[in-house]
Amino acid sequence: MSATAWAWLVLLFPLLGSIAIALGYRALPAKAAGIIGTLSIGLAFACGVAATISLLGDEPHSRHHASSLWDYASVAGLDIKLGIFVDPLSLFMVLVVTGVSTLIHLYSYGYMQSDEGYHRFFSYLNFFVFSMLLLVLAGNFVLLIVGWAFVGFASYALISFWYRRETATKAGMKAFVINVVGDIGLVLAAFLIFREVGAFDYGTVFERAPEVFTTNEWTITAICLLLLVGAFAKSAQLPLHTWLPDAMEGPTPVSSLIHAATMVTAGVYLIARTHVLFELAPTAADVAAFTGLATLLVAGTMALVMTDLKRAIAYSTMSQIGYMIMGVSIGAYSAGMFHLMTHAFFKALLFMAAGSIIAAMANDQNIDRMSGFGKAMRFTSITFVCGALALAAFPSTSGFFSKDEILAFAEARGGMYVIFTVLGYVGALLTAVYAFRLVFRVLPGRPCAEAQELIDTGHVAHEAPKNPATGEPEDTDVGFPGAEHHIAEQNWPMRAAMGVLAVLALVGGLVQVPDVDHVITNFLHPVFEASIFEHIHPSPRAEWIGLGIGGAISLLGIGIAYYFYVARAELPRRLEARLRPLHTLFVNKWYFDELIDFLVVRPALATGRFADRVFERFVVDGLVTGTAETVRGAGGVVRAVQSGFVRSYALLLFAGFAGLALYFLLAS
Amino acid sequence: MEEVLFFGSAIGALGGAVGVIALRNPFYSVLALIVHLFSLAALFLLLTSAFVAAAQVVVYAGAVMVLYVFVVAYVGGGGESAWEPIPGQRFLAPLLGIALFVELSVAVLSSSLLALGTDGPDVEAGFGDPAAIGTLMLEKFLLPFEASSLLLLLAAVGAIVLAHRRREANA
Amino acid sequence: MSIEWYIVLSALLFSTGAVGILIRRSPLVILLCLELMLNAGNLALVAFSRMVGNEEGQVFAVIVMVVAACEVVVGLGLIVAIFRRRLPLNVDDLRELRG
Amino acid sequence: MNFNEPTIDYAGISPLIALTVGLCVVLLSAVFKPFKRSAPLLTMITLAAAAGLLIWHWDDPKTLITGALRLDDLAISISLISILTAAFCVLFSLRERATEEAGSGEYHALLLGSVLGMVLLAQATNLVTFFVALEILSIPLYILCAANLRREGSLESGLKYLIVGSIGSATLLYGMAFLYGGSGSTGFGGIADGIAREGLDGDPLILVGIAMVTVGLAFKVSIAPFHQWTPDVYQGAPTPITGFMAVATKAAAFAVFLRFFDVALGSQLDVWQPALAALAAISIVVGNVGALGQDSLKRLMGWSGVAQAGYMLGGVVVVSEAGTSSLVFYLAAYAFMNLAAFAVIVARERETIFGDDIRAVRGLGAERPLLAWPLTISMLALAGLPATAGFIGKLYLIEALVEGDYTWLGVMIAIGTMISLAYYLRVVAAMWMRPEGESAPGATPAIAGASPEADPVDPEAGRRWYLVGPALLASAATVFFGVIPQPLVEWASHAGAALFG
Amino acid sequence: MSSALLWAPLAFGLVGLFLPRRAVGPWAVLGTLATLGLAIAIVVGFDSGSSGLQFVVDEPWISGLGVDYSLGVDGLNLFLLLLTAVLWVGGVAFAALREQERPKTFYFLMLVAETATLGAFLAQDLLLFVLFFDLMLVPFYFLFGAWGHDRSGEGGLTASAATLKMIVYTLIGSLLMLVAAIATAILAADGGNITFSIAELAREPLGEGSQRWIFWFFAAAFLVKMPAFLLHGWMPDAYRAAPLPVLVVFSGVLAKVGAYGFLRVVLPVFPDATVEFQEVILLIALASILYGSAMAFTQTNVRLIAGYSSVAQLGFITAGIFALRADGADGAILQSVNHGLVVAPILIIVALLLERTGSEDIREMGGLALRAPVLAALFLIVALATLALPGSANFVGEFYILNGLFQEKIVFAFVAITGVAMSAYYALRMYQQTMHNRAPEGLMSREIGARDGLVLVPLVLCIIGLSLYPQLILERTAPTVEKTVAKVHRDEAPESKLVRK
């Protein structure tokens, strides 16, 4: 069976799963939904593997296949088929997505058990996976946009999964609208591409692009910038990132799947996928790279001060994606994708661990209230630490190799790109610090009430949960985890998922060790062989030096974290007091929300209100009533003349007579 | 001589007319109209239309005016108040009158029709005498003539409808 | 005596009649004024008939007299009817219908 | 002294004879007790006979009695419209108060007289006939308007009509005098020749003559600014008569309008065309604007009549076959639309205490669908909405106008129609929709209903065959000719051909 | 075939008048279903390859005036006909599930409306088109007025006032269009014999000068009907007054007739004027998009949200047409169908919400999804289609439109696309506020009933099906559109860009 056939199956299973669960929302027992959901993704993963194998079967040069089912909308010179494009890159994404998703489904199977909306959840989740796969497998820009929007919708649906929470619905709306802005960017890019190249499908576009465009001509730059709008919106890069932290309103598995492992990395994939165009528009590429850099630093600072566990991790996600964007835009494609993969492992893991802690805290996500879970939840803590280590790029962990490869490449490209290496390491320091800040604030220390209860009784029971944001009581009937929580330890599916990921987080990096093996690079090579950066290869020496520095920095970071949060726990307060303005800036997320609110939201609403209150009433309606009034007024005059005096009638008659006669006299 | 006659009767006609509209008491107005009619008849004679003149005297001054007098006597022609309820009427009415007069005369005087300036062609003796008129009426204008008789009938019926004293039966 | 004189005179009479209708309120007098206007027409007709030298105008005039008579008859009939209904014999007071 | 009697084509004048005889018979029937109630029947027979005789002459035009009359398809079609209207009027007049007041015989005799006048007028081809016919048409109407002697409004309308009408005739006469003077002839054809012979093209004498004739005719068809009598008289007159006047008078007057201006004054075209166009525009505006917010339905019809006259005058303005045909078509359509409406008004006037006030038709849709539908259709048709004869009529008129380079007048018609929707649909709304904010029915009776001389209420009037029947018939015709207009178009085009063919 | 399709609803309506009250509803549904059957038959029998007219009927109707009864189907109207048939089934069926007062009249009018609308789409004779275009309004005038809601209590208008406003406002356009149509025919004929056949008129266009003013007369009619920005004054009141089942078809179909008119009449017959005024119309379209969206997200009444979003959507459609490129026009037609398919379910859902919450104000709703998951799901799908989520047919429509605009007038495209973002906000907001968040105190929601589901689900299935295979419409539309757009000589094949390189 050909790779494309397998690829179609990859798409098919999640879709079927989603539909089946949705239609059977009354018939199916809860567990069944979970099982179907998990299985369908598992099958998708299997098919993905099969596709990969059959792809590896054929010549490196011919490792790309397009296949289409039917004409989707092909008239008037536009040619849009329902087609997919299978090559190592897309399959790499397929594997990462389906693989991680399977584990997260498994995790959710346990985690969401006490949730009323169980069917809905799995239906949405499957739909998300389908959309994500559509995104990565799409064979032309239009279908890419479709997948792009579908994941956006799925993310919306899952963010506002607990839809009775005002905070959740608001967050969902925010995420959706910002993502639509991204879509628009893509759509305009597509138009421009069509205008210049006359086609939408990858094959034609990438083939013709070099002869159609001259490097850095404005059109290609415009195209790439528009693509970037889409990428940034999806991957939460500055300044379109504000939706991501709010998205943490959704159930934790969602955060771990969509907002850590898969969807948010779509931007990275997009740039890698369209690298042909970006290499024609270096300016745009640099813009992307610098944005990535900025994001990774800014996000890092925010992650440092957040007291909300999930939000903190979310910011770290932003910053990690910053690395990837940076990587793929400076040409370190395989490195970027590599980091994408490792990040998927450890970030998903971190969220899962955080999830089980938060569950134990009855959805209180405030780390100030957490402590002593090390004893209370041993398994969770271990996995959490694994994740943290990988994130902090602790030597030999997955993050260690992937992050470093990017920086090494930047260094190898030389010139101004060295900046990326330098600041990249600064970011790395930040990362290590905030990662272990979390670890040290949550795990060690005197157990807090919940932790204690857990230690004593082996389970926790709470009064009706409250929305931490608004403090209003949650109504559990819409599907909010009830008073009875599922703690990771006590639930094998969750353990399994976390265990596997923990291992991957630790050893996942070994697939790509300088000088030793280059599994990913080799696998992706056919995609990028035409790239102009293909010749750039950091020397093994440089790489090992880089690794050395990286390891040192991460250890340093961990050390700092220990010093601040364990050894001298009162220091942070003092520091805050010292650097008050900086701290407030970070805590308020650099005021991005306020900025956008001021620049976009308010004006829009103001216009709307003006239109409604003033324009509609006075101009539009005035147009109608005005005319009506004039006519009616004329009527009044005519009827006033109709006085009922026969003599005045006669008068008018004679007047008319005189007038008429006068006209005729003049005409004579 | 003709001038004298013309102006005499013209003044009579005009005077009569003015009398009609100026005199407060309807009864006097009627009398004024009679004067007017007679002088008009004279003018007709000047225009060598004997039959019309005769008809004028007989029909109008005879029949119609008598009818008038009766009615006035019946309803009692009280004078009317000088108060003018319609704004501008008293001011506009004469104005319009003058305007009409001017326009009509201009139309006549500025006409390029030469015959207007003449006394008209000299006509043979029979012109406008009953015989001639009668012939026309029975030949060319037979239908209008008959029709007008029908009109008289209808008018009579109308008068009955309007003026007959209704028996209270069907009221 | 040229025809113009007659026509101008008739025009004068016509206007007089018109003015009369405009300023008088008694229906009786208004009827009289209508007579004036018709007679002005007659005078014009007869004068013209003299001018063009055929009697058609005169015949017309005679018929107009008949018509005038009929109008008078009907008008007087109306006046009588109104009088019988005990309504004021003043056209200004007959304005129930207006607007 | 000898005179050679004119050759008289008795066949040709047979319709006139029929009407005359019928008139006399009806009049006599009033005198003999046994026939007291037979007047309506006799009238109907007379009308039928006349109509038959007219149709008999369809399509063979001839000049009658030494050029006094011209019996052609224009005359015939117009006469038929008048006769049809009269027939409806007879039905409406059954059980009508005015009929009893005036005495059935006299009433119908006068009606027939008026019809006779119209038939004459439609055929008239010389000034004298023209004038006499006009008077025969008008004088009975003066009387009929006042026929409901108990009601002040009726008398008032009669007197107003008489006074203003006589001014109109006097003016008309004076204008005729001028034209006679200028051309030395009283025949339409003669006038045209005379003007040419004397070389009086554009001579003030002639033109002012035309002006005065225009005033006289415009008054008859109630063109603004000579329209003011219309609403008052329409409202005051007995409703059947109003219906009759509204349609028949217009038809006849327009017939002579066409004939006189196109035959006698065709040469002065370029002078009077713009004037008439202007008048048309004025009355379109004035009529429609005046009708807004009228509560009395008859009055409303009066104002709308002014506007409609404006539309129709367009047919005269463009001196063309199409113009004539369209005008005739519109008149026919107009007859159906109006008669349907008046049938309903008569019925409601008799069965409610509101007289002809709009409140009389409120809730009609639920109460009397058989009346509501005709009135609705007629209103929609008058408003020129599609699938009604009214739409086709407007289409026809506008097409003629555009062909005659009077597109702007066509646009005026369109604009007028828009305004007119406001009041036509108000009536429809009253019938079908929940009453607007104003006082609920029965709160205060209408002016007409309230006055002591109110006619007795006949709660069954809404079911009488002689009211419902005509209403349905007329509205059915309105729709029929809206959907299948071809026959009527053919018919009208004959009329057009009569003048220009 | 075309004739059958055209008259079927009317026939059923007439029969319905003579059925017992209870049977009318089902009978009407049957009628609409039969019509739908015919429409489907036409779509099936349609030869997607050809660009010419099919199922042609061409009989002389009023030969005197050059008006023919000529119908035909081609790519432009094929799916609009189908849409009409579908939505009418939806609207009538939904109405039939509820108690209607005066059911006979109600369903009769509904079916008349369907015939009129189908007529407007089918007509290939300019005057026939105008006729049906005007006729469409009449039944809706009654339906809104007599079965509508009185809003005078809440600072709005009474039903009759609102509907009067609507009809007068919209007829202003159509009446001018009547004049314009006639002028077109006569000028085109000049002297020769008149024809209104659109194909004939398109053969050789009029002179620049006359095209200019005639173009605007037509444009006015279409823009008002849509309604476009500044001319939408009638819309809010009408939408608030309308009974929902009627609004379903009204807002679903009638607006499209305007857009269709541009394609059917304006582009082919007035090509030069079209090119000349392209920018002006595009500006109006943009204004509609932005203003409609801006209004839509300030409104809290669900009807008005739907109404203003329609303004925006029609803006898109107009923009697509006046891109004067094949792709734009293709998108416009596709989008017309899509919009019809989404706005109808939305309004049906509004009706259901009204029955559950007793309010149409989204501020007074919330949390309904809890008890009505299915209803919520359906609503969600519709909402997503409304905001043209990529993957929906609406997206394809907008994509084509905007692509056409982009290639033709890049700046306009950039402005227009902001409308997409806004639509995302207001559509989602409408869904969230009603289905999500906390329910107000004492608000008891309930699941959608099976029979209502029977009405709603098929519509939603149509949306989904079309989303999966929009090519269905596009490939049948394309050939005719190509031809139509070619008429304005602006059609560049997209590849031509490549030649430059």
Side-chain angles (χ1 to χ4, degrees), chain A residues 69-382:
Chain A
L69 289 188
W70 60 70
D71 278 0
Y72 182 61
S74 319
V75 295
L78 287 75
D79 177 20
I80 303 168
K81 292 193 171 50
L82 197 63
I84 57 173
F85 185 78
V86 179
D87 70 351
L89 179 58
S90 51
L91 283 184
F92 176 83
M93 287 302 289
V94 167
L95 292 175
V96 174
V97 169
T98 48
V100 177
S101 306
T102 319
L103 294 172
I104 293 175
H105 273 72
L106 196 60
Y107 176 86
S108 324
Y109 174 77
Y111 187 86
M112 298 299 286
Q113 243 168 39
S114 70
D115 197 295
E116 293 292 325
Y118 202 65
H119 295 86
R120 195 157 49 94
F121 183 79
F122 275 100
S123 171
Y124 282 159
L125 217 53
N126 273 16
F127 178 75
F128 164 76
V129 177
F130 160 74
S131 321
M132 190 67 204
L133 292 170
L134 185 65
L135 190 162
V136 295
L137 283 171
N140 57 53
F141 282 96
V142 178
L143 222 54
L144 171 80
I145 294 167
V146 172
W148 203 262
F150 275 5
V151 290
F153 160 66
S155 130
Y156 158 77
L158 285 161
I159 292 169
S160 49
F161 178 76
W162 290 318
Y163 56 74
R164 299 286 271 259
R165 273 181 157 186
E166 292 280 351
T167 48
T169 49
K170 276 197 170 49
M173 175 73 87
K174 191 173 179 183
F176 191 83
V177 171
I178 293 185
N179 275 296
V180 166
V181 174
D183 303 349
I184 290 178
L186 289 190
V187 169
L188 287 172
F191 290 158
L192 202 47
I193 289 171
F194 179 75
R195 169 169 148 170
E196 301 302 322
V197 187
F200 288 114
D201 63 300
Y202 292 156
T204 327
V205 172
F206 296 151
E207 185 183 320
R208 287 193 197 162
E211 76 230 27
V212 172
F213 300 107
T214 55
T215 304
N216 256 345
E217 140 188 37
W218 76 268
T219 44
I220 184 66
T221 316
I223 290 174
C224 292
L225 289 175
L226 286 167
L227 287 174
L228 285 178
V229 174
F232 290 170
K234 203 47 100 203
S235 298
Q237 299 299 292
L238 300 178
L240 298 176
H241 65 284
T242 56
W243 62 272
L244 184 59
D246 296 17
M248 295 302 123
E249 283 286 336
T252 311
V254 174
S255 319
S256 111
L257 173 60
I258 301 180
H259 305 122
T262 54
M263 182 185 88
V264 286
T265 59
V268 183
Y269 166 75
L270 178 68
I271 297 177
R273 166 61 68 205
T274 56
H275 68 280
V276 179
L277 305 180
F278 275 93
E279 287 175 0
L280 286 166
T283 330
D286 295 343
V287 171
F290 277 108
T291 320
L293 183 62
T295 312
L296 85 86
L297 293 171
V298 171
T301 58
M302 298 183 196
L304 263 181
V305 297
M306 283 294 126
T307 57
D308 177 318
L309 182 51
K310 277 175 78 180
R311 279 196 159 73
I313 305 177
Y315 281 112
S316 108
T317 308
M318 274 174 60
S319 111
Q320 292 304 309
I321 297 170
Y323 276 108
M324 305 175 207
I325 296 273
M326 197 172 91
V328 288
S329 358
I330 63 176
Y333 303 116
S334 45
M337 300 316 286
F338 181 32
H339 191 58
L340 185 154
M341 179 183 83
T342 55
H343 173 261
F345 297 155
F346 60 69
K347 191 52 65 66
L349 177 62
L350 273 173
F351 267 113
M352 290 182 176
S356 69
I357 293 169
I358 290 164
M361 294 290 297
N363 274 74
D364 190 339
Q365 308 183 345
N366 187 345
I367 54 175
D368 295 344
R369 287 200 58 256
M370 303 175 183
S371 63
F373 275 97
K375 279 192 241 36
M377 305 170 76
R378 196 153 302 288
F379 184 86
T380 309
S381 339
I382 294 165

Side-chain angles (χ1 to χ4, degrees), chain B residues 109-147:
Chain B
L109 299 177
S110 69
S111 165
S112 58
L113 185 61
L114 303 170
L116 272 169
T118 67
D119 302 12
D122 21 3
V123 287
E124 76 283 7
F127 186 81
D129 70 352
I133 303 294
T135 332
L136 264 177
M137 277 189 173
L138 292 180
E139 287 174 6
K140 183 154 190 210
F141 295 103
L142 176 59
L143 184 110
F145 182 52
E146 298 298 336

